């Protein structure tokens, strides 16, 4: 944990900035840094955004936007169609996704027009609920606003510095701060880059560099030298393949981002099955109110937890039943909605309701599942209150319900006596691990939205190559250059000299 | 603008300036040492800026000599020629006068990478340069050899800092003083010539070696780090002995395009141009190279040679079993020699003859002058400022091969810039820099002074990050106004012309954007153009001009009233239209780099004791390279984001202190003035 200080509105304000080192580092950080060796821009006209509060369990998260398009972001995400709010005043607003107009959260928004903002530029703060799902959604929505991109290393602070917002005493230690950031980023990058993902990016980067070197050789030398006619045709094939591969990678069902934002696990089932008790057991604190009265939980209760190294967003929902109570009906609606969005549903059943015969119990469970889950969503069956069953029946169910066709994994537990909890946790952990795609063994996945943004830019640049290939090779080459630069933001900078080295290795330039 | 006749200049030149006597004790603003491509541009630029300038060269009649290939321009190099011309330099106009075979290389690859190039008549090129220098006001040419560079003892307050005071000539004790000196010694600095196993001192066959005194002053007196590089030149072949029917004929462009923005046509008429010929090496060539290796000391030594202009020896050794291109180029209209481009070699002359006779058109060829190699000293260019001034020696400027570059165009570009700055320094005006975001000259100088060289440096378009903006067609727009307004090296005539061009282009683009029609109207106006209906319903003339098959001429004939007056710019407008979206994208990045380049780092910082947080490694890099600006520091390998921020912080603090200091001084001065005004005893 590295506590870092951030600047707000010209005064120092402490904010805990968490850098997790034990596992996949959080993706959106105020000073999320480049992996390339080159120092990032000191300032430019882009509008940048980042989560500026700590990543992890927190009640309120602050997302900052800085740059000329900040007002646009505020307009299209907080519904200010006409006038912007008065400066530096907190307002409670619905925060919506500009693409779908779906409400992501309700939170506070603040508008800081230039120059009276922490960065000296127009900026906006969104104070939203601290759950990873909400944060991820808001950040993704921001990424879809034209002109906005995730911030690079130290960019906010540097902009503030450029604008003269940091006094000289405040700047002391700034270098150390950025150094720490860079170090943390470097460690994370190393972890990422030594894995399969790193090898994948490195391979792309090598192939792209070669493409660029060959196009550049064709431009600079083909008039005087023997550069085989096939050179450009080979580049065409490589560029097409690379573009296809990158686009395929971008459509990888967001497995890597799940790792970053947390796996959404939803506890669902009938009333009074012990869902809230299970939540409390899993997060080892009374997050939800537990009572013997059916229908105690009426809204969704959300908790972030760390399950054997994987971030999990656990939601407890209202028990599913028909109710005449308006509030409870809304709770049930939200529960069903949440189950639909879940990566994994824990269907909790009161064991006492199970028929004693195994066959009939299996049929009961199948029917119950179909009433809880929309279709074939991933789920685990949790048979709670096992302590209430006679020992003999307990053993029989435990033995015989395993491997029954049409049923997911079944865990017999008791939140009262902790019986079976350890085994259940093992099963849950392995399910979550599968969902995230094991970074060590699984297919490489995107772990950072930043990577995604750079990869998208890379793929678009390769399309530019194809567009201009036959009419203007200089503009086509510009496409490959942009692609190399974009990928270089992930794998490291590529200089002109490196390209020339490849040229002279591959061609006999003899003029 | 091409002068129809050149005066009888050589006799004039020699009569004017061979007498040294009256120069002794004379004070010049600028002395330029060397009369090659760098020296001539430097002398002319210094004089244009307004300095009394003296050019000293070993032989007046070799001023403007093309020591190696008889050609100018090419891909990347052509951009440099256009830029030198935009700054009112000589080589573009000289090329237009002396060219005998013009072609735009890369014609089919996009205007940003077009490479204007010409084969030259050696005699005509020399004549033009000599005539130009003779008619340049404030410029004197002197034949002589420089023995010593005169510098002051280092200032005790600033150890290691010298100031140039002039030069001393060889064979006599003549000292000539000057405020600035530009050294353009080419390959003559401790130069050695190699043919086979014989080595002799010198920088070019037929010329006396330069004195060791200069080299000694640079290294021992000024403590400059030097390195050693090598280059070479091919044998010249007797044209009549070559059977050109066995080579592939290569014709020039049917309409020669001049280099200079001031010229509408070249001196040589289209039909008078001479062709080049292409042939290839055979396995026999490789055999001869391998058999003669032990007789070839140049090739055995490990001094760094260029990878991209290698001798035939290194070509066949690095890529064996291949056939390599050899161009047979004319040396001039009346010359009876051919220049075999690609056959630079250093083996003994009899083996050179054996080698060329392995190539079919040269089966019976005779060699007029054998090829040879040169090894020479260069000064590590990281010791220079972006004005090409030696950081530790005030008033000393270096340009050309002495800075580790190769090529006429690279030399001319540096010469112009060093000469203009030497003049500004001498006249107590601030020196000026060119950014890599605005010119190839800027790329060249920035690469040299902030990265240094490990092999002879040559320009390629791939070195320019903003290639789509730095095009040969717009060099005048990029540089001529700056050259006039900020540097002072551009004549008013050229400046006015560049303003006319800029305004006309601007007006034409506005007129194009004002043509705002629906796709169906465009279809009626231009029936031959495939305009897709599904695209946005309204298109401007500028949008249309971006289409592949639309030319400005087509639009002008459709809208004669608004466009026909811009017909002379038809090609430039087409290029502007196609590149505009890409240049607009470049602009943001360019502005960022320029901001960083505007923050200068003082040259006298002691990086090891700087009270900011920097790692030892970073301090070491900064101390070695001493970048002039934060932008240059950012581009150094091994400089971390943290280091950049700390440096930025340092710059800010020092600027702030200076400002406070200035304000205080200003206030004190004001107080003093008030006191004086109020005082009856004022001396005034």
């Amino acid at each position: 944990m590295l506590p870092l200080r951030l600047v707000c509105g010209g005064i120092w304000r402490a904010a805990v900035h968490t850098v997790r080192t034990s596992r996949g580092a959080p993706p959106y950080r105020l000073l999320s840094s480049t992996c390339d060796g080159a120092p990032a821009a000191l300032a430019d006209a882009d509008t940048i955004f980042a989560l500026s509060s700590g990543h992890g369990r927190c009640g309120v998260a602050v997302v900052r936007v800085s740059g000329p398009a900040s007002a646009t972001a505020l307009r299209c995400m907080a519904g200010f169609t006409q006038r912007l709010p008065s400066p530096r005043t907190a307002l409670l607003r619905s925060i919506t996704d500009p693409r779908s107009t779906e409400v992501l959260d309700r939170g506070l928004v603040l508008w800081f027009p230039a120059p009276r903002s922490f960065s000296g530029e127009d900026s906006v703060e969104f104070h939203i609920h601290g759950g990873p799902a909400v944060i991820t959604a808001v950040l993704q929505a921001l990424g879809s606003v034209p002109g906005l991109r995730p911030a690079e290393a130290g960019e906010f602070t540097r902009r503030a510095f450029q604008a003269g917002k940091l006094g000289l005493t405040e700047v002391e230690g700034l270098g150390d701060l950025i150094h720490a950031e860079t170090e943390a980023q470097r460690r994370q990058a190393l972890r990422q880059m030594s894995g399969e993902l790193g090898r994948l990016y490195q391979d792309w980067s090598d192939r792209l560099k070669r493409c660029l070197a060959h196009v550049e050789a064709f431009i600079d030398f083909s008039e005087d030298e023997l550069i085989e006619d096939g050179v450009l045709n080979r580049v065409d094939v490589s560029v097409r393949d690379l573009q296809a591969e990158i686009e395929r990678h971008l459509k990888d069902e967001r497995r890597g981002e799940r790792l970053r934002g947390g796996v959404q696990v939803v506890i669902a089932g009938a009333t009074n099955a012990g869902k809230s008790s299970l939540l409390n057991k899993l997060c080892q604190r009374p997050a939800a109110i537990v009572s013997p009265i059916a229908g105690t939980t009426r809204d969704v209760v959300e908790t972030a937890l760390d399950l054997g190294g994987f971030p999990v967003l656990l939601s407890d929902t209202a028990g599913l039943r028909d109710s005449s109570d308006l509030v409870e009906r809304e709770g049930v609606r939200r529960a069903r909605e949440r189950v639909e969005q879940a990566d994994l549903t824990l269907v909790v059943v009161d064991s006492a309701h199970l028929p004693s015969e195994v066959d009939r119990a299996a049929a009961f469970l199948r029917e119950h599942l179909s009433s809880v889950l929309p279709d074939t969503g991933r789920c685990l069956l949790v048979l709670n209150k096992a302590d209430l069953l006679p020992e003999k029946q307990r053993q029989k169910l435990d033995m015989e319900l395993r491997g029954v066709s049409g049923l997911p994994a079944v865990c017999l537990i008791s939140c009262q006596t902790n019986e079976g909890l350890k085994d259940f946790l093992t099963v849950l952990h392995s399910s979550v691990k599968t969902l995230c795609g094991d970074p060590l063994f699984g297919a490489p996945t995107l772990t950072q939205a930043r990577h995604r943004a750079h990869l998208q830019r890379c793929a678009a640049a390769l399309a530019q190559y194809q567009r201009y290939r036959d009419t203007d090779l200089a503009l086509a080459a510009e496409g490959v250059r942009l692609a190399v630069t974009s990928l270089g933001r992930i794998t490291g900078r590529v200089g002109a000299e490196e390209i020339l080295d490849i040229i002279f290795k591959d061609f006999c330039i003899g003029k | 603008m091409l002068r129809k006749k050149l005066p009888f200049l050589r006799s004039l030149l020699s009569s004017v300036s061979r007498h040294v006597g009256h120069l002794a004790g004379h004070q010049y603003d600028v002395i330029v040492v060397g009369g090659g491509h760098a020296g001539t541009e430097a002398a002319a630029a210094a004089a244009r800026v307004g300095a009394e300038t003296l050019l000293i060269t070993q032989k007046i009649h070799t001023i403007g000599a093309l020591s190696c290939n008889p050609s100018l321009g090419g891909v990347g190099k052509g951009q440099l020629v256009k830029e030198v011309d935009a700054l009112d330099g000589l080589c573009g106009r000289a090329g237009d006068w002396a060219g005998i075979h013009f072609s735009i290389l890369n014609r089919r690859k996009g205007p940003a990478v077009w490479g204007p190039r010409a084969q030259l008549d050696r005699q005509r090129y020399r004549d033009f340069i000599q005539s130009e220098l003779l008619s340049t006001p404030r410029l004197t040419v002197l034949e002589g050899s420089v023995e010593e560079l005169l510098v002051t003892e280092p200032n005790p307050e600033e150890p290691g800092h010298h100031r140039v005071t002039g030069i001393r000539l060889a064979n006599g004790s003549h000292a000539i003083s000057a405020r600035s000196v530009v050294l353009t010694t080419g390959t003559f600095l401790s130069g050695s010539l190699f043919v086979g196993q014989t080595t002799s001192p010198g920088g070019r066959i037929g010329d006396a070696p330069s004195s060791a005194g200069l080299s000694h002053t640079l290294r021992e007196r000024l403590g400059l780090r030097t390195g050693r590089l090598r280059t070479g030149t091919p044998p010249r072949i007797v044209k009549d002995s070559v059977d050109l029917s066995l080579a592939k004929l290569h014709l020039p462009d049917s309409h020669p395009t001049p280099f200079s923005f001031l010229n509408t046509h070249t001196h040589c008429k289209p039909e008078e141009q001479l062709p080049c010929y292409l042939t290839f090496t055979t396995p026999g060539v490789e055999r001869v190279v391998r058999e003669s290796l032990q007789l070839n000391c140049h090739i055995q030594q490990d001094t760094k040679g260029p990878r991209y202009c290698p001798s035939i020896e290194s070509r066949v050794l690095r890529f064996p079993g291949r056939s390599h291109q050899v161009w047979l180029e004319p040396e001039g209209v009346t010359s009876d020699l051919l220049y075999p481009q690609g056959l630079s070699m250093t083996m003994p002359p009899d083996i050179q003859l054996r080698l060329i006779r392995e190539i079919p058109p040269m089966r019976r060829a005779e060699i007029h002058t054998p090829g040879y190699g040169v090894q020479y000293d260069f000064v590590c260019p990281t010791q220079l400022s972006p004005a090409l001034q030696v950081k530790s020696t005030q008033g000393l400027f270096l340009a050309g091969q002495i800075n580790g570059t190769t090529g006429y165009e690279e030399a001319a570009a540096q010469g112009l810039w060093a000469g203009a700055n030497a003049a500004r320094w001498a006249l107590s005006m601030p020196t000026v820099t060119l950014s890599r975001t605005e010119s190839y000259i800027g790329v060249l100088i920035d690469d040299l002074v902030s990265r240094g060289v490990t092999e002879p440096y040559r320009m390629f378009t791939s070195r320019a990050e903003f290639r789509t903006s730095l095009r040969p067609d717009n060099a005048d727009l990029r540089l001529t106004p700056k050259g006039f307004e900020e540097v002072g090296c551009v004549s008013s005539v050229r400046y006015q012309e560049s303003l006319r061009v800029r305004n006309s282009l601007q007006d034409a683009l506005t007129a194009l954007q004002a043509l705002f029609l629906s796709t169906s109207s465009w279809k009626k106006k231009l029936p031959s153009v495939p305009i897709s209906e599904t695209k946005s319903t309204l298109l401007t003339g500028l949008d249309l001009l971006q289409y592949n098959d639309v030319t400005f001429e087509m639009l002008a004939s459709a809208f004669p009233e608004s466009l026909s007056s811009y017909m002379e710019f038809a090609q430039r407008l087409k290029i502007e239209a196609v590149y505009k979206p890409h240049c607009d994208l470049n602009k943001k990045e360019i502005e960022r780099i320029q901001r960083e380049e505007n923050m200068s780092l003082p040259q006298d910082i002691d990086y090891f004791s700087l009270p900011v947080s920097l790692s030892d490694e970073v301090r070491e890099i900064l101390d070695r390279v001493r970048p002039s600006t934060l932008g240059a520091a950012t581009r150094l390998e091994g400089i971390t984001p943290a280091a950049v921020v700390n440096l930025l912080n340092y710059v800010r603090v020092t600027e702030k202190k200076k400002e406070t200091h200035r304000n205080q001084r200003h206030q004190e001065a004001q107080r003093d003035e008030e006191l004086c005004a109020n005082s009856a005893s004022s001396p005034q």
Side-chain angles (χ1 to χ4, degrees), chain B residues 204-253:
Chain B
R204 180 167 60 198
I205 288 263
D207 286 316
S210 67
S211 84
L214 204 52
S215 205
H216 180 265
T217 320
L218 293 178
R219 263 201 306 261
E220 309 302 329
R221 214 46 221 292
L222 304 179
L224 294 177
R225 272 175 290 121
T226 58
R228 208 150 169 80
L229 292 172
R230 71 172 180 210
T231 184
T233 193
R236 309 302 196 266
I237 313 291
V238 177
K239 194 175 184 177
D240 285 347
S241 66
V242 179
D243 184 355
L244 291 169
S245 68
L246 295 176
K248 202 177 142 204
L249 183 71
H250 187 85
L251 292 175
D253 289 353

Side-chain angles (χ1 to χ4, degrees), chain B residues 128-391:
Chain B
F128 185 92
I129 296 285
Q130 292 178 9
S131 146
E132 273 289 316
L133 292 185
L134 185 72
S135 58
T136 302
R138 293 183 289 275
L139 177 59
T140 311
V141 183
L142 171 71
E143 195 165 85
S145 191
V146 173
E147 169 70 37
E148 194 188 346
L149 187 67
L150 302 176
V151 293
T152 57
E153 285 306 315
N155 180 345
E157 284 176 20
E158 285 178 289
H161 280 63
H162 303 261
R163 191 165 52 78
V164 153
T165 58
I167 55 103
R168 188 185 305 282
L169 290 171
N171 311 324
S173 57
H174 288 299
I176 307 175
S177 55
R179 288 160 171 271
S180 311
V181 172
V182 186
L183 293 182
T184 67
T185 51
T187 55
F188 282 82
L189 204 61
S190 307
S192 325
L193 304 176
F194 290 75
V195 186
Q197 289 173 299
T198 48
T199 307
S200 54
R204 180 167 60 198
I205 288 263
D207 286 316
S210 67
S211 84
L214 204 52
S215 205
H216 180 265
T217 320
L218 293 178
R219 263 201 306 261
E220 309 302 329
R221 214 46 221 292
L222 304 179
L224 294 177
R225 272 175 290 121
T226 58
R228 208 150 169 80
L229 292 172
R230 71 172 180 210
T231 184
T233 193
R236 309 302 196 266
I237 313 291
V238 177
K239 194 175 184 177
D240 285 347
S241 66
V242 179
D243 184 355
L244 291 169
S245 68
L246 295 176
K248 202 177 142 204
L249 183 71
H250 187 85
L251 292 175
D253 289 353
S254 49
H255 300 287
T257 314
F259 289 106
S260 175
F261 287 99
L262 295 183
N263 289 333
T264 51
H265 60 278
T266 58
H267 177 60
C268 180
K269 294 199 179 70
E271 65 278 10
E272 290 169 358
Q273 294 185 93
L274 300 179
C276 290
Y277 298 88
L278 176 62
T279 183
F280 295 91
T281 63
T282 58
V285 168
E286 191 171 330
R287 204 175 50 243
V288 173
V289 168
R290 291 191 184 280
E291 284 170 11
S292 63
L293 271 187
Q294 76 287 357
L295 300 173
N296 198 336
C297 23
H298 189 63
I299 212 72
Q300 290 162 2
Q301 298 193 359
D302 58 2
T303 308
K304 292 271 171 64
R307 291 179 296 182
Y308 33 77
C309 189
S311 58
I312 188 65
E313 291 95 325
S314 47
R315 291 173 85 184
V316 302
L317 294 176
R318 274 179 51 211
F319 293 89
R322 285 183 46 163
S323 169
H324 301 273
Q325 282 186 331
V326 174
W327 291 93
L328 299 173
E329 301 175 344
E331 292 242 316
V333 179
T334 56
S335 169
D336 48 11
L337 300 181
L338 283 176
Y339 178 91
Q341 162 116 259
L343 284 185
S344 158
M345 58 180 86
T346 56
M347 54 195 68
D350 55 318
I351 301 179
Q352 293 193 15
L353 191 65
R354 254 181 69 202
L355 187 148
I356 63 159
R357 290 187 169 182
E358 293 289 343
I359 300 171
M362 293 191 275
R363 282 273 141 77
R364 286 179 194 81
E366 295 297 336
I367 289 179
H368 177 268
T369 320
Y372 60 93
V374 192
Q375 295 192 1
Y376 56 96
D377 278 356
F378 74 100
V379 174
C380 300
T382 51
Q383 301 165 102
L384 306 181
S385 76
L388 295 175
Q389 181 169 208
V390 175
K391 288 174 184 172

Side-chain angles (χ1 to χ4, degrees), chain A residues 157-467:
Chain A
T157 320
R158 273 208 287 269
R159 285 185 182 201
F161 186 62
Q162 283 259 308
K165 284 284 172 179
L166 306 190
L168 293 180
T169 46
E170 291 161 326
V171 161
E172 282 174 17
L174 179 67
D176 293 339
L177 180 145
I178 288 180
H179 179 69
E181 275 295 331
T182 318
E183 271 303 293
Q185 183 74 23
R186 192 185 60 77
R187 281 198 299 274
Q188 189 216 338
L190 275 180
R191 272 199 308 277
Q192 252 168 20
M193 300 319 280
S194 61
E196 208 172 324
L197 192 62
R199 278 196 294 280
L200 181 71
Y201 290 167
Q202 201 53 57
D203 171 59
W204 283 345
S205 176
D206 290 345
R207 283 157 65 193
L208 261 181
K209 276 187 275 187
R210 193 164 216 89
C211 285
L212 181 58
H214 287 195
V215 177
E216 298 285 8
F218 196 75
I219 287 176
D220 274 338
F221 305 106
S222 68
E223 292 271 349
D224 277 308
E225 306 304 328
L226 275 181
I227 299 224
E228 304 80 355
D229 294 337
V231 163
L232 275 194
N233 296 337
R234 286 203 297 279
V235 171
D236 294 346
V237 175
S238 288
V239 164
R240 220 177 11 249
D241 289 352
L242 274 164
Q243 195 192 347
E245 281 174 46
I246 292 171
E247 277 168 359
R248 223 171 19 246
H249 184 72
L250 282 165
K251 287 186 202 137
D252 72 341
E253 298 179 313
R254 296 178 45 248
R255 267 210 291 183
E257 285 177 39
R258 204 178 268 147
L259 173 66
R260 173 181 49 67
V263 179
Q264 297 231 19
V265 177
V266 173
I267 305 175
T271 50
N272 228 357
K275 299 181 290 299
S276 301
S277 305
L278 181 61
L279 175 92
N280 291 348
K281 274 288 164 218
L282 287 175
C283 61
Q284 295 169 336
R285 65 189 163 92
I289 302 164
V290 182
S291 84
I293 302 161
T296 305
T297 306
R298 293 189 164 193
D299 201 343
V300 177
V301 177
E302 213 174 69
T303 312
L305 66 129
D306 175 348
L307 197 73
F310 295 101
V312 167
L313 188 70
L314 191 63
S315 313
D316 183 19
T317 59
L320 302 171
R321 68 168 176 187
D322 292 328
S323 166
S324 55
D325 181 346
L326 266 179
V327 177
E328 193 180 353
R329 259 164 53 190
E330 174 61 12
V332 171
R333 192 193 65 76
R334 288 187 185 185
R336 292 203 178 274
E337 194 180 61
R338 196 52 74 101
V339 168
E340 280 202 23
Q341 294 167 352
D343 293 315
L344 177 69
T345 309
L346 306 179
V347 180
V348 184
V349 179
D350 185 342
S351 306
H353 294 172
L354 281 177
S356 54
E357 279 180 52
V358 174
D359 284 353
R360 281 183 53 215
F364 171 86
L365 288 172
R366 269 196 288 274
E367 201 192 325
H368 184 69
L369 276 179
S370 68
S371 74
V372 175
L373 291 174
D375 42 17
T376 50
R378 283 174 188 273
C379 69
L380 295 180
L381 260 175
V382 182
L383 308 184
N384 191 21
K385 306 189 187 178
D387 55 305
L388 300 180
L389 295 179
E391 174 71 19
K392 210 173 157 193
Q393 193 189 351
R394 206 158 63 212
Q395 280 174 356
K396 204 169 101 190
L397 282 173
D398 202 12
M399 294 292 291
E400 299 193 40
L401 278 178
R402 286 169 201 256
V404 171
S405 75
L407 281 187
V410 178
C411 300
L412 211 58
I413 63 160
S414 165
C415 291
Q416 200 68 44
T417 64
N418 290 345
E419 184 188 338
L421 259 180
K422 206 174 149 204
D423 290 347
F424 165 67
L425 275 175
T426 312
V427 173
L428 180 61
H429 180 235
S430 85
S431 303
V432 167
K433 191 165 150 187
T434 315
L435 276 169
C436 286
D438 192 317
L440 293 175
F441 306 107
T445 49
L446 294 167
T447 54
Q448 283 202 327
R450 236 191 89 248
H451 288 190
R452 175 175 281 272
H454 291 313
L455 288 176
Q456 274 165 344
R457 226 169 285 159
C458 181
L462 291 176
Q464 179 179 332
Y465 170 82
Q466 287 162 340
R467 187 171 152 218

Side-chain angles (χ1 to χ4, degrees), chain B residues 18-198:
Chain B
R18 275 213 173 104
H19 304 291
V20 181
H22 71 281
L23 298 177
H26 191 89
Q27 162 89 39
Y28 281 92
D29 293 322
V30 177
I31 291 176
V32 177
V33 181
H37 296 268
T40 51
E41 293 287 356
R48 287 201 302 279
V49 169
E52 280 300 324
T53 306
L54 178 69
L55 172 67
I56 304 176
T57 180
Q58 283 191 355
K59 287 182 194 162
I60 283 178
H61 79 266
T62 60
I63 287 179
L66 302 161
S67 315
C68 196
N69 50 309
S71 60
L72 185 74
V75 181
K77 289 165 169 277
Q79 274 85 340
L80 285 173
V81 175
K82 298 290 279 190
E83 292 187 356
V84 167
D85 180 68
L87 292 167
D88 231 353
L90 310 175
C91 68
R93 285 177 296 130
D96 291 343
W97 176 266
I100 49 173
H101 171 125
F102 289 84
S103 62
I104 302 258
L105 305 186
N106 275 349
R107 176 78 82 174
R108 300 206 320 275
K109 293 176 200 154
V113 295
W114 282 355
R117 184 174 186 276
Q119 297 296 145
L120 304 174
D121 180 304
R122 291 181 188 277
Q123 187 59 48
R124 285 186 188 174
Y125 193 86
R126 225 158 42 191
D127 288 349
F128 185 92
I129 296 285
Q130 292 178 9
S131 146
E132 273 289 316
L133 292 185
L134 185 72
S135 58
T136 302
R138 293 183 289 275
L139 177 59
T140 311
V141 183
L142 171 71
E143 195 165 85
S145 191
V146 173
E147 169 70 37
E148 194 188 346
L149 187 67
L150 302 176
V151 293
T152 57
E153 285 306 315
N155 180 345
E157 284 176 20
E158 285 178 289
H161 280 63
H162 303 261
R163 191 165 52 78
V164 153
T165 58
I167 55 103
R168 188 185 305 282
L169 290 171
N171 311 324
S173 57
H174 288 299
I176 307 175
S177 55
R179 288 160 171 271
S180 311
V181 172
V182 186
L183 293 182
T184 67
T185 51
T187 55
F188 282 82
L189 204 61
S190 307
S192 325
L193 304 176
F194 290 75
V195 186
Q197 289 173 299
T198 48

Side-chain angles (χ1 to χ4, degrees), chain B residues 389-673:
Chain B
Q389 181 169 208
V390 175
K391 288 174 184 172
S392 63
T393 311
Q394 295 181 351
L396 179 60
F397 295 78
L398 308 181
Q401 278 168 305
I402 194 172
N403 289 339
T405 62
T406 175
Y408 302 155
E409 304 79 359
E410 289 82 353
Q414 293 171 70
L416 185 148
W417 204 244
N421 271 307
R424 292 182 63 85
W425 176 265
L427 302 175
S428 306
M429 295 187 278
T431 58
V432 281
T433 56
L434 270 179
S435 162
R436 65 187 296 126
T437 61
E438 62 188 339
S439 62
Y440 275 76
I441 304 180
V443 171
L444 166 70
I445 295 175
D446 185 52
D447 280 350
L448 291 178
V449 305
S450 48
R451 292 182 196 170
V453 296
T454 51
E455 62 179 331
Y457 180 100
R458 176 184 149 184
M459 184 48 72
F460 306 114
T461 69
S462 47
R463 296 193 192 272
E465 291 87 344
F466 302 103
R467 183 165 62 192
T468 47
S469 303
L470 310 184
R471 301 189 308 270
D473 64 278
N474 66 9
D476 55 343
L477 301 185
R478 291 185 276 120
L479 296 174
T480 305
K482 176 168 181 156
F484 181 83
E485 292 158 9
E486 296 173 37
V487 189
C489 66
V490 169
S491 72
S492 150
V493 176
R494 185 185 283 268
Y495 176 61
Q496 294 304 333
E497 171 63 8
S498 81
L499 294 187
R500 183 187 75 86
V501 171
R502 187 170 72 186
N503 295 339
S504 305
L505 287 174
Q506 203 53 57
D507 293 348
L509 289 175
T510 312
L512 281 166
Q513 270 171 317
L515 297 173
F516 205 54
L517 301 182
S518 67
T519 43
S520 50
S521 313
W522 279 116
K523 267 180 175 307
K524 269 179 226 143
K525 284 278 185 188
L526 304 168
S528 63
V529 179
I531 302 168
S532 116
E533 292 270 16
T534 54
K535 285 202 172 164
S536 74
T537 45
L538 286 172
L539 290 173
T540 68
L542 196 61
D543 296 330
L544 259 283
L545 198 48
Q546 289 170 2
Y547 279 55
N548 283 335
D549 11 6
V550 176
T551 62
F552 183 79
E553 287 87 344
M554 289 160 72
L555 292 173
S557 59
F559 299 94
E561 62 293 346
S562 59
L563 297 180
S564 60
S565 54
Y566 305 112
M567 279 303 291
E568 66 170 306
F569 302 113
Q571 190 186 48
R572 291 188 71 160
L573 285 165
K574 170 74 185 172
I575 299 174
E576 285 288 337
V578 173
Y579 278 78
K580 194 167 182 302
H582 305 276
C583 295
D584 289 347
L585 277 180
N586 274 347
K587 228 169 131 190
K588 214 161 64 175
E589 181 69 5
I590 288 177
E591 282 166 4
R592 176 185 73 78
I593 292 182
Q594 285 177 345
R595 263 200 309 272
E596 288 173 1
E597 280 174 351
N598 282 338
M599 293 185 214
S600 55
L601 295 170
Q603 282 311 300
D604 50 359
I605 301 185
D606 178 4
Y607 282 107
F608 290 103
S609 67
L610 204 64
V612 295
S613 166
L614 293 173
S615 73
D616 288 348
E617 191 196 343
V618 166
R619 284 176 197 272
E620 207 263 314
I621 296 169
L622 290 170
D623 181 66
R624 184 160 41 81
V625 181
R626 304 208 148 262
S628 316
T629 65
L630 193 70
T634 309
R635 281 188 293 278
L636 292 177
E637 235 165 273
I639 299 295
T640 59
V644 170
V645 169
N646 281 323
L647 279 179
L648 177 65
N649 181 22
Y650 176 80
V651 174
R652 280 281 164 82
V653 175
T654 21
E655 271 175 7
K656 208 161 198 168
K657 270 187 196 154
K658 267 189 215 153
E659 202 176 302
T660 330
H661 192 61
R662 245 197 324 270
N663 286 345
Q664 276 172 0
R665 288 260 295 274
H666 184 67
Q667 280 166 6
E668 279 164 21
Q670 264 186 342
R671 247 198 330 270
D672 289 349
E673 263 174 43

